[in-house]
Amino acid sequence: MAGVLLSEAEKTFILHGVQSDLRNDGRSKQDYRPMELELDIVTHANGSARVRLANTDILVGVKTEIDVPKPEKPDEGKIEFFVDCSANATPEFEGKGGEDLATEISNFLSTSFNSGLSFDLKSLCILKEIQCWKLYVDILILECGGNLFDAVSLAVKAALHNTMVPRVETMAMDGGNVDLQLSGDPYDCWRLDIKNVPCLVTLTKIGEHLIVDPTAEEENCSMASLVLAVTEDGRINSLSKTSVGSFHPHTLTEGLKVGTEVGIRLNKALKEALEKEEKRLQADKPERSGFLK
């Protein structure tokens, strides 16, 4: 994870603040920084969203394409994630500096979404064993200010909410080939069901305490983090530990409880922000929507 240089005195100051439940920016251990959300900002994508979490800026675009289902999953569609760490986000991403981080994020998203409990891939099936929709989710990290996993997951869920999949009007079989006729009306589309799509919650260990939404400076003081994929009903779909540190069993148990509570609040806040942004778009007044302040 991208970091910043801190002196030992600065690290001690951050540690003591966390111990007192008063972080550098005035937040408690379970508070998020203010966020901003924008929808439908990439013209040539089927869905898009941009999330700003303080100094972290994420842009996501979703494109649809007709593909062939996997042989082992003939009645399901596909979803693929690609993460690009812009060199402008932080000097550490220059050259191939962001490749490992991009791979880590895309792999965790794939693990979270390829469960039927998270995302209904069967809704993307057009003809069993023959054709299906494939979603390409392109994630661009424009600026890195800490807590990339959470910000990326919020932007991905918002972009999937904004995605419009063209409706198939007719299907005809010509020998072994299938001829699909899509609706000529650009507004004749259907939307994805994101109810069970999880938000990622990162719990960063500083000393013996766990905090959410770490800044880049706080990440520099930590040796280990937990990343939980939490749905709006509080179900944990996947779990991963990052960095080289370890967790005491008691700390891990506490982290699962805290992460679940925070994940429920985060999903609720995102849902409210999406509804507000949709109303603004329909009124043709595209304005930024702040949430979880």
Side-chain angles (χ1 to χ4, degrees):
M1 195 69 73
V4 294
L5 295 177
L6 294 177
S7 67
E8 289 302 317
E10 289 173 315
K11 291 182 179 180
T12 301
F13 180 77
I14 291 175
L15 173 60
H16 288 171
V18 171
Q19 289 174 343
S20 302
D21 199 19
L22 183 62
R23 294 154 73 177
N24 288 1
D25 50 13
R27 291 181 292 150
S28 69
K29 289 181 287 188
Q30 296 185 22
D31 286 341
Y32 272 76
R33 293 168 288 178
M35 303 184 196
E36 293 181 346
L37 169 69
E38 292 178 279
L39 294 178
D40 202 23
I41 58 176
V42 180
T43 306
H44 300 294
N46 293 83
S48 60
R50 185 173 184 175
V51 167
R52 297 179 182 88
L53 173 56
N55 294 331
T56 298
D57 194 353
I58 309 295
L59 177 64
V60 175
V62 181
K63 293 185 179 180
T64 61
E65 181 181 282
I66 294 177
D67 202 354
V68 179
K70 297 178 181 178
E72 65 274 18
K73 297 180 179 179
D75 60 343
E76 293 185 1
K78 301 177 181 178
I79 185 169
E80 186 175 294
F81 298 93
F82 176 76
V83 180
D84 181 17
C85 299
S86 171
N88 295 325
T90 173
E92 294 187 19
F93 290 166
E94 291 182 0
K96 295 185 178 180
E99 283 189 0
D100 291 342
L101 176 60
T103 301
E104 184 180 8
I105 294 175
S106 61
N107 287 344
F108 192 76
L109 287 171
S110 297
T111 301
S112 302
F113 275 78
N114 281 325
S115 166
L117 298 175
S118 298
F119 188 67
D120 184 16
L121 290 172
K122 291 185 178 181
S123 65
L124 299 176
C125 181
I126 301 174
L127 282 174
K128 186 177 180 180
E129 299 181 349
I130 300 177
Q131 287 189 326
C132 68
W133 287 108
K134 183 175 184 178
L135 304 180
Y136 291 94
V137 183
D138 295 317
I139 303 161
L140 177 60
I141 299 175
L142 298 170
E143 190 173 355
C144 180
N147 200 19
L148 284 179
F149 278 87
D150 297 21
V152 165
S153 74
L154 290 167
V156 167
K157 186 169 182 177
L160 290 174
H161 169 82
N162 184 241
T163 298
M164 308 294 287
V165 183
R167 195 175 302 279
V168 178
E169 285 191 336
T170 59
M171 293 179 284
M173 298 291 292
D174 183 12
N177 299 321
V178 179
D179 183 22
L180 296 180
Q181 182 67 41
L182 302 181
S183 174
D185 184 354
Y187 296 100
D188 186 15
C189 303
W190 58 276
R191 309 189 76 159
L192 302 170
D193 182 6
I194 65 164
K195 180 180 179 181
N196 293 322
V197 172
C199 287
L200 301 187
V201 177
T202 301
L203 296 168
T204 298
K205 181 183 177 185
I206 297 181
E208 295 302 319
H209 299 269
L210 296 174
I211 64 171
V212 302
D213 186 24
T215 63
E217 291 78 12
E218 289 171 335
E219 288 177 343
N220 193 268
C221 300
S222 172
M223 291 298 293
S225 294
L226 284 175
V227 183
L228 289 70
V230 184
T231 62
E232 62 180 47
D233 60 357
R235 185 178 63 247
I236 299 176
N237 286 356
S238 56
L239 171 68
S240 177
K241 185 186 78 68
T242 63
S243 302
V244 297
S246 60
F247 286 88
H248 188 276
H250 175 73
T251 305
L252 180 60
T253 302
E254 178 190 356
L256 295 177
K257 180 181 177 181
V258 171
T260 300
E261 294 173 352
V262 172
I264 292 173
R265 297 204 315 264
L266 192 60
N267 276 284
K268 181 180 179 181
L270 177 61
K271 183 177 180 180
E272 293 173 353
L274 289 173
E275 291 174 352
K276 184 184 295 184
E277 186 69 5
E278 285 286 353
K279 291 179 180 178
R280 292 180 176 177
L281 287 174
Q282 291 174 4
D284 198 24
K285 294 180 180 179
E287 299 177 3
R288 296 176 183 175
S289 175
F291 64 106
L292 219 77
K293 295 185 177 179

